[in-house]
Amino acid sequence: MKQYAAKIRELDALVQKWACRQRSYISGYPAQCGHHYIGRSEMLLRWDLRNIIPLTFDEHRLVHDGMLRFEIQNPFRKQFLFNQKNKGLKTYLLEEGLTVEAFLKQSKQKIVQELEQ
């Protein structure tokens, strides 16, 4: 994935831009960042907005410090995320007939579409 570093940084920035336009999942205050419910290392979910939890900076710090916990309230969303985590990027690419480059392009298109709404 090193050869895609610039595209990855761009997608990460777009995810944060989207998150900052939302309300905090916990408090309802304007969000300042997006937290990955399933960690960023899971590339299939890294830019999936269903995996991004908008939070304030303070909430985000408290979550990472283990002092604030939350759960995704929608059981279908939560199950989807765990199913995708178990599937992994390689299996997804094979199932969809995609290359990594096409997956990154598709991910960008989805986020940009959400940002334009």
Side-chain angles (χ1 to χ4, degrees):
M1 291 294 243
K2 281 186 178 182
Q3 67 267 35
Y4 302 110
K7 290 181 182 184
I8 288 171
R9 281 192 302 276
E10 179 185 16
L11 283 166
D12 287 344
L14 286 172
V15 163
Q16 293 304 317
K17 183 176 181 179
W18 174 84
C20 290
R21 293 184 178 184
Q22 311 304 309
R23 292 264 179 203
S24 165
Y25 193 78
I26 295 172
S27 66
Y29 289 120
Q32 298 169 308
C33 63
H35 173 73
H36 292 81
Y37 185 73
I38 294 178
R40 291 170 24 125
S41 62
E42 294 295 333
M43 299 304 279
L44 180 56
L45 291 170
R46 185 169 179 159
W47 307 291
D48 189 320
L49 298 179
R50 292 167 285 196
N51 187 43
I52 306 303
I53 309 300
L55 300 172
T56 66
F57 288 134
D58 287 338
E59 291 165 348
H60 195 224
R61 182 181 45 77
L62 290 170
V63 166
H64 279 281
D65 289 348
M67 299 177 72
L68 181 60
R69 295 184 187 272
F70 67 91
E71 284 299 322
I72 291 181
Q73 298 303 308
N74 182 321
F76 299 104
R77 176 182 176 190
K78 191 173 180 178
Q79 189 61 55
F80 168 82
L81 292 173
F82 284 109
N83 290 348
Q84 294 297 85
K85 178 184 177 185
N86 290 333
K87 180 182 290 189
L89 181 60
K90 287 183 183 180
T91 301
Y92 177 82
L93 294 177
L94 286 171
E95 286 178 0
E96 299 296 319
L98 294 173
T99 62
V100 171
E101 189 151 346
F103 169 72
L104 295 174
K105 184 177 180 181
Q106 183 183 77
S107 297
K108 180 179 177 180
Q109 287 172 337
K110 288 178 182 177
I111 298 168
V112 168
Q113 185 178 14
E114 285 294 319
L115 287 169
E116 289 174 349
Q117 291 184 6

